[in-house]
Amino acid sequence: MKVLVTGGLGFIGSHTVVKLIENGDEVVIVDNLYNSKLEVKDRIKEITGVECPTYVIDVQNKEELTKVFKEHRVDAVIHFAGYKAVGESCVKPLEYYDNNLNSTLVLLEVMRDYKVHNFVFSSSATVYGEPQRVPMYESDPVVEATSPYGETKVMIERILKDYAKVDKEFNCALLRYFNPIGAHKSGLLGEDPNGIPNNLLPYIAKVATGELKEVNVFGNDYDTVDGTGVRDYIHVVDLAKGHVLALNKLKTNPGLVIYNLGTGKGTSVLEMIKAYEEASGVKIPYVIKERRPGDIASSFANCDKARDELGFTCDFTVLDACRDGYHFQVEESERKKKAK
Ligand code: UD1
């Protein structure tokens, strides 16, 4: 299969490209480098031995995108490209709606022009908003999200559902990710956000390497195992595998399908810090702070549907993810020092 991957140089995108290549698929990458680096392309080659055709263009640029579809007879598209910072989206809502919605619409139009019918969309557990229950099921209501970023996911899901109703040839998997963490075991691919990380694992990683002093634990009075927030952390390589399985499913012409991709297990912030200490052998200092506005106590997936319909199961534990994430962070910090 020839698969076009938008945002293919980003965190989840790059791991998915590797999995696709390992699966024997041909990959074409489109990425505007907004939150990624061109050298990731070389790292993918180092891991797989394959150099993917890579186009540094914006998905919103219909003319440029059309050229890519002209040059490659694409069978399917996986759409990762998009803005994803929750806090930033509250400050720049117009930019978030403009970029995330328009890029998807342009992509769908070009796909329609070139009769490409298979589409995988990076959605998020954020579409469940404040969950009515945990674990969350795909059949749970999609509600108003707690941020403009989250709302773009809700809106794009809606657009895709409406489109699937009228285009009977259109196959689409909405993949609702829980909390992706970890890195490729080579230490070549991982998550290294610019500036101070917002998400827990990148933050812990920078405390582990001494770049930040201590972890701020946002609240210890939630109704959870130890009072700290509980999330479903999934190794990014497992998540990447979920995309290959979703593409297999689309080959059976299912129309629009929805899957949670998580582990089905919740881990608290303090449990996560402990796991990271165990995996890295480094002490992680932390302080308890006020709750972070907009946070929920607990979020974890029911993944039975992905297991039963896709054959999706996770190979890695939270401890594995901490080990791989730490390995990547150490290697990346070394690489940055050398480059200076
Ligand atoms: C966040 C987003 C979600 C997005 C996901 C991407 C919010 C409200 N939600 O999820 O939409 O899809 O990232 O992975 O931002 N924590 C700390 N200290 C920190 C950072 C986090 O204690 O420095 C805690 C949080 O309170 C939470 C847990 O760690 O309990 C996980 O937080 P985070 O990694 O930011 O992910 P989510 O908030 O679940």
Side-chain angles (χ1 to χ4, degrees):
M1 225 183 183
K2 195 165 204 173
V3 187
L4 186 137
V5 181
T6 76
L9 300 178
F11 175 46
I12 308 174
S14 59
H15 288 86
T16 301
V17 168
V18 168
K19 274 280 173 215
L20 289 166
I21 294 170
E22 286 170 357
N23 188 50
D25 293 313
E26 266 182 85
V27 178
V28 178
I29 295 174
V30 166
D31 198 305
N32 71 355
L33 304 183
Y34 177 78
N35 198 19
S36 59
K37 299 180 203 132
L38 193 55
E39 66 194 80
V40 168
K41 173 180 178 269
D42 303 327
R43 298 192 191 174
I44 292 171
K45 186 178 174 196
E46 207 174 322
I47 293 168
T48 61
V50 174
E51 181 150 10
C52 301
T54 301
Y55 296 82
V56 179
I57 59 167
D58 197 303
V59 180
Q60 285 188 74
N61 187 331
K62 194 169 181 180
E63 213 175 297
E64 296 282 328
L65 189 67
T66 301
K67 279 191 206 154
V68 179
F69 278 78
K70 239 184 226 161
E71 279 174 38
H72 299 276
R73 249 195 62 84
V74 168
D75 302 297
V77 174
I78 306 182
H79 183 36
F80 291 105
Y83 293 164
K84 62 167 190 176
V86 175
E88 186 184 58
S89 78
C90 299
V91 184
K92 297 180 172 174
L94 296 185
E95 283 82 354
Y96 268 68
Y97 287 118
D98 178 40
N99 182 66
N100 290 5
L101 295 179
N102 277 329
S103 60
T104 310
L105 291 170
V106 168
L107 185 55
L108 289 170
E109 280 168 14
V110 179
M111 283 176 65
R112 185 176 56 188
D113 290 348
Y114 283 81
K115 300 191 172 29
V116 179
H117 304 297
N118 297 318
F119 190 69
V120 177
F121 177 61
S122 277
S123 191
S124 164
T126 195
V127 302
Y128 297 115
E130 178 98 33
Q132 326 230 311
R133 57 170 176 180
V134 280
M136 287 110 114
Y137 288 72
E138 290 85 348
S139 53
D140 286 350
V142 167
V143 296
E144 195 177 312
T146 51
S147 69
Y149 153 76
E151 201 56 35
T152 66
K153 297 293 180 192
V154 172
M155 288 180 176
I156 294 167
E157 283 205 359
R158 177 65 201 264
I159 290 168
L160 291 165
K161 285 174 192 164
D162 286 344
Y163 183 48
K165 272 186 215 155
V166 292
D167 184 340
K168 297 295 174 204
E169 280 183 306
F170 186 60
N171 297 304
C172 176
L174 307 179
L175 301 183
R176 294 177 179 161
Y177 311 151
F178 281 68
N179 292 56
I181 61 165
H184 193 265
K185 64 178 187 311
S186 62
L188 290 166
L189 303 177
E191 190 179 22
D192 186 39
N194 292 328
I196 297 185
N198 296 309
N199 296 118
L200 181 63
L201 264 290
Y203 201 103
I204 295 180
K206 289 207 187 281
V207 173
T209 55
E211 289 164 69
L212 293 169
K213 192 165 128 253
E214 59 199 6
V215 177
N216 301 308
V217 175
F218 297 140
N220 67 348
D221 56 353
Y222 286 108
D223 183 16
T224 61
V225 56
D226 56 20
T228 65
V230 166
R231 298 288 183 275
D232 186 338
Y233 297 96
I234 175 171
H235 196 301
V236 65
V237 173
D238 280 328
L239 188 62
K241 184 178 73 175
H243 293 75
V244 175
L245 297 172
L247 283 180
N248 284 343
K249 177 75 182 176
L250 295 189
K251 284 180 196 157
T252 67
N253 291 321
L256 185 134
V257 286
I258 306 177
Y259 298 102
N260 285 340
L261 291 182
T263 66
K265 284 192 214 87
T267 305
S268 76
V269 177
L270 294 183
E271 287 169 341
M272 208 59 195
I273 291 175
K274 209 162 152 256
Y276 209 96
E277 286 182 334
E278 193 181 331
S280 65
V282 178
K283 181 96 195 119
I284 310 287
Y286 67 86
V287 284
I288 306 292
K289 290 281 172 74
E290 290 292 295
R291 290 181 179 194
R292 183 172 66 178
D295 268 355
I296 52 177
S298 246
S299 157
F300 56 96
N302 177 288
C303 301
D304 293 354
K305 192 168 174 236
R307 183 197 60 205
D308 296 345
E309 295 184 16
L310 303 181
F312 176 75
T313 52
C314 289
D315 297 323
F316 300 105
T317 63
V318 154
L319 204 61
D320 296 327
C322 291
R323 182 200 59 217
D324 294 338
Y326 179 62
H327 177 219
F328 169 76
Q329 192 63 53
V330 169
E331 298 273 314
E332 191 68 2
S333 300
E334 281 302 312
R335 282 190 288 262
K336 275 188 190 160
K337 266 186 224 156
K338 272 193 205 144
K340 267 188 189 162

Coordinates of all heavy atoms in Angstrom, one line a residue, residues 11-12 84-87 123-127 146-147 149-150 153 177-181 191 197-204 214-219 222 228-233 267-270 272-273 287 290-299, ligand 1:
F11 N 6.1 13.5 16.4 CA 6.3 12.5 17.4 C 5.5 11.2 17.0 O 6.2 10.1 16.8 CB 5.8 13.0 18.7 CG 5.8 12.0 19.9 CD1 6.9 11.2 20.1 CD2 4.7 11.9 20.8 CE1 6.9 10.3 21.1 CE2 4.8 11.0 21.8 CZ 5.9 10.2 22.0
I12 N 4.2 11.2 16.9 CA 3.5 10.0 16.6 C 3.7 9.6 15.1 O 3.8 8.5 14.7 CB 2.0 10.1 16.9 CG1 1.8 10.6 18.4 CG2 1.3 8.8 16.8 CD1 0.4 11.0 18.8
K84 N -1.3 21.3 18.4 CA -1.8 20.3 19.4 C -1.6 20.8 20.8 O -1.8 20.0 21.8 CB -1.1 19.0 19.2 CG 0.4 19.1 19.3 CD 1.0 17.7 19.5 CE 2.5 17.8 19.8 NZ 3.1 16.5 20.1
A85 N -1.2 22.1 21.0 CA -0.9 22.5 22.4 C -2.2 23.1 23.0 O -2.7 24.1 22.5 CB 0.2 23.5 22.4
V86 N -2.7 22.4 24.1 CA -4.0 22.8 24.7 C -4.0 24.3 25.2 O -4.8 25.0 24.8 CB -4.3 21.8 25.8 CG1 -5.5 22.3 26.6 CG2 -4.4 20.4 25.3
G87 N -2.9 24.6 25.9 CA -2.8 26.0 26.5 C -2.8 27.0 25.4 O -3.5 28.0 25.5
S123 N -7.4 11.5 16.2 CA -8.3 12.1 17.1 C -7.8 11.9 18.6 O -6.6 11.5 18.7 CB -9.8 11.7 17.0 OG -10.6 12.5 17.7
S124 N -8.6 12.3 19.5 CA -8.1 12.3 20.9 C -9.2 12.0 21.9 O -10.3 12.3 21.7 CB -7.5 13.7 21.2 OG -7.3 13.9 22.6
A125 N -8.8 11.4 23.0 CA -9.7 11.2 24.1 C -10.3 12.5 24.6 O -11.3 12.5 25.3 CB -9.0 10.5 25.3
T126 N -9.8 13.6 24.2 CA -10.3 14.9 24.6 C -11.7 15.1 24.1 O -12.5 15.9 24.6 CB -9.3 16.0 24.1 OG1 -9.7 17.2 24.8 CG2 -9.4 16.3 22.6
V127 N -12.1 14.3 23.1 CA -13.5 14.5 22.5 C -14.6 14.0 23.6 O -15.7 14.3 23.4 CB -13.8 13.8 21.2 CG1 -12.8 14.3 20.1 CG2 -13.7 12.3 21.3
T146 N -12.8 20.8 26.2 CA -12.5 21.8 27.2 C -11.5 22.8 26.7 O -11.0 23.7 27.4 CB -11.9 21.1 28.5 OG1 -10.8 20.2 28.0 CG2 -12.9 20.3 29.2
S147 N -11.1 22.8 25.4 CA -10.2 23.7 24.8 C -10.5 23.9 23.3 O -11.0 22.9 22.7 CB -8.8 23.3 25.0 OG -8.5 22.2 24.2
Y149 N -8.3 23.5 21.0 CA -7.6 22.4 20.4 C -8.6 21.2 20.4 O -8.7 20.5 19.4 CB -6.3 22.0 21.2 CG -5.9 20.6 21.1 CD1 -5.3 20.1 20.0 CD2 -6.2 19.7 22.2 CE1 -5.0 18.8 19.8 CE2 -5.9 18.4 22.0 CZ -5.3 17.9 20.9 OH -5.0 16.6 20.8
G150 N -9.1 20.9 21.6 CA -10.0 19.7 21.7 C -11.2 19.9 20.8 O -11.7 18.9 20.2
K153 N -10.8 18.8 17.3 CA -10.9 17.3 17.1 C -12.4 16.9 17.0 O -12.8 16.1 16.2 CB -10.3 16.6 18.3 CG -8.8 16.8 18.4 CD -8.0 16.2 17.3 CE -6.5 16.4 17.4 NZ -5.8 16.1 16.2
Y177 N -6.7 8.8 20.6 CA -5.6 8.5 21.4 C -5.8 8.9 22.8 O -6.3 10.0 23.1 CB -4.3 9.2 20.9 CG -4.0 9.2 19.4 CD1 -3.4 10.3 18.9 CD2 -4.4 8.1 18.6 CE1 -3.1 10.3 17.5 CE2 -4.1 8.1 17.3 CZ -3.4 9.2 16.7 OH -3.1 9.2 15.4
F178 N -5.2 8.1 23.7 CA -5.1 8.5 25.1 C -3.8 9.2 25.3 O -3.5 10.1 24.5 CB -5.5 7.3 26.0 CG -7.0 7.2 26.1 CD1 -7.7 6.7 24.9 CD2 -7.7 7.5 27.2 CE1 -9.1 6.7 24.9 CE2 -9.1 7.5 27.2 CZ -9.8 7.1 26.1
N179 N -2.9 8.9 26.2 CA -1.7 9.7 26.4 C -0.5 9.0 25.9 O 0.1 8.2 26.5 CB -1.5 10.0 27.9 CG -2.6 11.0 28.4 OD1 -3.8 10.7 28.4 ND2 -2.2 12.1 29.0
P180 N -0.1 9.4 24.7 CA 1.1 8.7 24.1 C 2.4 9.2 24.7 O 2.6 10.4 25.0 CB 1.1 9.2 22.6 CG 0.0 10.2 22.5 CD -0.6 10.4 23.8
I181 N 3.2 8.2 25.1 CA 4.5 8.5 25.7 C 5.6 7.6 25.2 O 5.3 6.7 24.3 CB 4.5 8.3 27.3 CG1 4.1 6.9 27.6 CG2 3.5 9.3 27.9 CD1 4.4 6.5 29.1
E191 N 10.0 12.4 21.7 CA 9.3 13.7 21.9 C 10.2 14.7 22.6 O 10.6 14.4 23.7 CB 8.0 13.5 22.7 CG 7.1 14.7 22.7 CD 5.8 14.4 23.6 OE1 5.9 13.5 24.4 OE2 4.8 15.1 23.3
P197 N 8.0 21.9 28.7 CA 6.9 21.1 28.3 C 5.6 21.3 29.1 O 5.7 21.6 30.3 CB 7.5 19.6 28.5 CG 8.9 19.8 28.8 CD 9.2 21.2 29.3
N198 N 4.5 21.1 28.5 CA 3.2 21.1 29.2 C 2.8 19.7 29.7 O 2.2 19.6 30.7 CB 2.1 21.6 28.2 CG 2.4 23.0 27.8 OD1 2.6 23.9 28.6 ND2 2.4 23.2 26.5
N199 N 3.2 18.7 28.9 CA 2.7 17.4 29.3 C 3.7 16.7 30.3 O 4.8 17.1 30.4 CB 2.6 16.5 28.0 CG 1.5 17.1 27.1 OD1 1.8 17.5 26.0 ND2 0.3 17.1 27.6
L200 N 3.1 15.8 31.0 CA 3.8 15.2 32.2 C 5.1 14.5 31.8 O 6.2 14.8 32.4 CB 2.9 14.2 32.9 CG 3.6 13.6 34.2 CD1 3.9 14.7 35.2 CD2 2.7 12.5 34.7
L201 N 5.1 13.6 30.8 CA 6.3 12.8 30.6 C 7.5 13.6 30.0 O 8.6 13.4 30.5 CB 6.0 11.6 29.7 CG 5.7 10.3 30.5 CD1 7.0 9.8 31.1 CD2 4.7 10.5 31.6
P202 N 7.3 14.5 29.0 CA 8.4 15.3 28.6 C 8.9 16.2 29.7 O 10.2 16.4 29.8 CB 7.8 16.2 27.5 CG 6.6 15.5 27.0 CD 6.1 14.7 28.2
Y203 N 8.1 16.6 30.6 CA 8.5 17.4 31.8 C 9.4 16.5 32.7 O 10.5 16.9 33.1 CB 7.3 17.9 32.6 CG 7.7 19.1 33.4 CD1 7.3 20.4 33.0 CD2 8.4 19.0 34.6 CE1 7.7 21.5 33.8 CE2 8.8 20.1 35.4 CZ 8.4 21.4 35.0 OH 8.8 22.5 35.7
I204 N 8.9 15.3 33.0 CA 9.7 14.4 33.9 C 11.1 14.2 33.2 O 12.1 14.1 33.9 CB 9.0 13.1 34.1 CG1 7.7 13.3 35.0 CG2 9.9 12.1 34.9 CD1 6.9 12.0 35.3
E214 N 12.4 20.3 39.3 CA 11.5 19.3 39.9 C 10.2 19.3 39.2 O 9.9 20.3 38.4 CB 11.3 19.8 41.4 CG 10.7 21.2 41.5 CD 10.9 21.8 42.9 OE1 11.5 21.2 43.7 OE2 10.3 22.9 43.0
V215 N 9.5 18.2 39.4 CA 8.1 18.1 38.7 C 7.1 18.8 39.6 O 7.1 18.6 40.8 CB 7.8 16.6 38.5 CG1 6.4 16.5 37.9 CG2 8.8 15.9 37.7
N216 N 6.2 19.6 39.0 CA 5.1 20.2 39.7 C 4.0 19.2 39.5 O 3.5 18.9 38.4 CB 4.7 21.5 39.1 CG 5.8 22.5 39.2 OD1 6.4 22.7 40.2 ND2 6.2 23.1 38.0
V217 N 3.5 18.6 40.7 CA 2.4 17.7 40.6 C 1.1 18.5 40.8 O 0.9 19.1 41.9 CB 2.5 16.6 41.7 CG1 1.3 15.7 41.7 CG2 3.8 15.8 41.5
F218 N 0.3 18.5 39.8 CA -0.9 19.4 39.8 C -2.1 18.8 40.6 O -3.0 18.2 40.0 CB -1.3 19.8 38.4 CG -0.3 20.6 37.6 CD1 -0.1 20.3 36.3 CD2 0.5 21.6 38.2 CE1 0.9 21.0 35.6 CE2 1.4 22.3 37.5 CZ 1.6 22.0 36.2
G219 N -2.1 18.9 41.9 CA -3.2 18.5 42.7 C -3.0 17.1 43.3 O -2.5 16.2 42.5
Y222 N -7.5 14.7 44.3 CA -8.5 14.1 43.4 C -9.0 12.7 44.0 O -8.3 12.1 44.8 CB -7.9 13.8 42.0 CG -7.7 15.0 41.2 CD1 -6.4 15.5 40.9 CD2 -8.8 15.7 40.6 CE1 -6.2 16.6 40.1 CE2 -8.6 16.8 39.8 CZ -7.3 17.3 39.6 OH -7.1 18.4 38.8
T228 N -3.6 11.9 43.0 CA -3.1 12.6 41.8 C -3.8 12.1 40.6 O -4.4 11.0 40.6 CB -1.6 12.5 41.7 OG1 -1.2 11.1 41.5 CG2 -0.8 13.0 42.9
G229 N -3.7 12.9 39.5 CA -4.5 12.6 38.3 C -4.1 11.3 37.7 O -2.9 10.9 37.7
V230 N -5.1 10.6 37.2 CA -4.9 9.2 36.6 C -5.1 9.3 35.0 O -6.1 9.9 34.6 CB -5.8 8.2 37.2 CG1 -5.8 6.9 36.4 CG2 -5.3 7.9 38.6
R231 N -4.1 8.8 34.3 CA -4.3 8.8 32.8 C -3.9 7.5 32.2 O -3.2 6.7 32.9 CB -3.3 9.9 32.2 CG -3.6 11.3 32.6 CD -4.9 11.8 31.9 NE -5.2 13.2 32.3 CZ -5.8 13.6 33.4 NH1 -6.2 12.7 34.3 NH2 -6.0 14.9 33.6
D232 N -4.2 7.3 31.0 CA -3.9 6.0 30.3 C -2.7 6.3 29.3 O -2.9 6.8 28.2 CB -5.2 5.6 29.5 CG -5.0 4.2 28.8 OD1 -3.9 3.8 28.6 OD2 -6.1 3.7 28.5
Y233 N -1.5 5.9 29.8 CA -0.3 6.2 29.0 C 0.0 5.1 28.1 O 0.2 3.9 28.6 CB 0.8 6.5 30.0 CG 0.6 7.7 30.9 CD1 0.1 7.6 32.2 CD2 0.9 9.0 30.4 CE1 -0.1 8.7 33.0 CE2 0.7 10.1 31.2 CZ 0.2 10.0 32.5 OH 0.0 11.1 33.3
T267 N -2.7 5.2 35.3 CA -1.5 5.4 36.1 C -1.6 6.8 36.7 O -1.9 7.7 35.9 CB -0.3 5.2 35.3 OG1 -0.3 3.9 34.6 CG2 1.0 5.2 36.1
S268 N -1.3 6.9 38.0 CA -1.4 8.2 38.6 C -0.1 9.0 38.4 O 1.0 8.4 38.0 CB -1.6 8.1 40.1 OG -0.4 7.7 40.8
V269 N -0.1 10.3 38.6 CA 1.2 11.1 38.4 C 2.3 10.5 39.3 O 3.4 10.4 38.9 CB 0.9 12.6 38.8 CG1 2.2 13.4 38.6 CG2 -0.2 13.2 37.8
L270 N 1.9 10.2 40.6 CA 3.0 9.7 41.5 C 3.5 8.4 41.1 O 4.7 8.1 41.1 CB 2.5 9.7 42.9 CG 2.2 11.1 43.6 CD1 1.8 10.9 45.0 CD2 3.4 12.0 43.5
M272 N 3.7 7.4 38.1 CA 4.5 7.6 36.9 C 5.9 8.1 37.3 O 6.8 7.7 36.7 CB 3.7 8.7 36.1 CG 4.0 8.7 34.6 SD 3.5 7.1 34.0 CE 4.3 7.1 32.5
I273 N 5.9 9.0 38.2 CA 7.2 9.5 38.7 C 8.0 8.3 39.2 O 9.2 8.2 38.9 CB 7.0 10.6 39.8 CG1 6.4 11.8 39.1 CG2 8.4 10.9 40.5 CD1 6.1 13.0 40.1
V287 N 7.2 18.5 43.7 CA 6.4 19.3 44.7 C 4.9 19.2 44.3 O 4.6 19.2 43.1 CB 6.8 20.8 44.8 CG1 8.2 21.0 45.5 CG2 6.9 21.4 43.4
E290 N -1.1 23.4 43.2 CA -2.6 23.5 43.0 C -3.0 22.6 41.8 O -2.2 22.4 40.9 CB -3.0 24.9 42.6 CG -2.9 25.9 43.8 CD -3.9 25.6 44.8 OE1 -5.1 25.8 44.5 OE2 -3.5 25.3 46.0
R291 N -4.3 22.2 41.7 CA -4.8 21.6 40.5 C -4.6 22.5 39.3 O -4.7 23.7 39.4 CB -6.3 21.3 40.6 CG -6.7 20.3 41.6 CD -8.2 20.1 41.7 NE -8.6 19.0 42.6 CZ -9.8 18.5 42.6 NH1 -10.7 18.9 41.8 NH2 -10.1 17.6 43.5
R292 N -4.4 21.9 38.1 CA -4.3 22.7 36.9 C -5.7 22.9 36.3 O -6.4 21.9 36.2 CB -3.4 21.9 35.9 CG -3.2 22.6 34.6 CD -2.2 21.9 33.7 NE -2.7 20.6 33.2 CZ -2.0 19.8 32.4 NH1 -0.8 20.2 32.0 NH2 -2.5 18.7 32.0
P293 N -6.1 24.2 36.0 CA -7.5 24.4 35.6 C -7.8 23.5 34.4 O -7.0 23.4 33.5 CB -7.5 25.9 35.2 CG -6.3 26.5 35.9 CD -5.3 25.4 36.1
G294 N -9.0 23.0 34.3 CA -9.4 22.2 33.2 C -9.1 20.7 33.3 O -9.5 19.9 32.5
D295 N -8.2 20.3 34.3 CA -7.9 18.9 34.4 C -9.0 18.1 35.0 O -9.8 18.6 35.8 CB -6.6 18.8 35.3 CG -5.3 18.8 34.5 OD1 -5.4 18.8 33.3 OD2 -4.3 18.8 35.2
I296 N -9.0 16.8 34.6 CA -10.0 15.9 35.2 C -9.3 14.9 36.1 O -8.0 14.8 36.0 CB -10.8 15.2 34.1 CG1 -9.8 14.5 33.1 CG2 -11.7 16.1 33.3 CD1 -10.4 13.7 32.0
A297 N -10.0 14.2 36.9 CA -9.4 13.3 37.9 C -8.8 12.1 37.1 O -7.6 11.7 37.3 CB -10.4 12.9 38.9
S298 N -9.6 11.4 36.3 CA -9.3 10.2 35.8 C -9.7 10.0 34.3 O -10.8 10.4 34.0 CB -10.1 9.1 36.5 OG -9.2 8.3 37.3
S299 N -8.8 9.5 33.5 CA -9.2 9.2 32.1 C -8.4 7.9 31.7 O -7.2 7.9 31.7 CB -8.7 10.4 31.3 OG -8.5 10.0 29.9
Ligands
UD1_1 C1 -3.3 16.7 27.6 C2 -4.5 17.4 27.0 C3 -5.1 16.5 26.0 C4 -4.0 16.1 24.9 C5 -2.9 15.4 25.7 C6 -1.7 15.1 24.7 C7 -5.2 19.0 28.8 C8 -6.4 19.4 29.6 N1 -5.4 17.9 28.0 O1 -3.8 15.6 28.3 O2 -6.1 17.2 25.3 O3 -4.6 15.3 24.0 O4 -2.3 16.3 26.7 O5 -0.9 14.1 25.3 O6 -4.2 19.6 28.8 N2 0.7 16.8 35.3 C9 1.4 17.2 36.4 N3 2.5 18.0 36.2 C10 2.9 18.5 35.0 C11 2.1 18.1 33.8 C12 1.0 17.3 34.1 O7 1.1 16.9 37.6 O8 3.9 19.2 34.9 C13 -0.5 15.9 35.5 C14 -1.8 16.4 35.0 O9 -2.5 17.2 36.0 C15 -2.5 15.1 34.6 C16 -1.4 14.2 34.2 O10 -0.2 14.8 34.7 O11 -3.1 14.6 35.7 C17 -1.2 14.2 32.6 O12 -1.1 15.5 32.1 P1 -0.7 15.8 30.6 O13 0.6 15.0 30.3 O14 -0.6 17.3 30.4 O15 -1.8 15.1 29.7 P2 -3.4 15.4 29.8 O16 -3.8 16.6 30.6 O17 -4.1 14.1 30.2

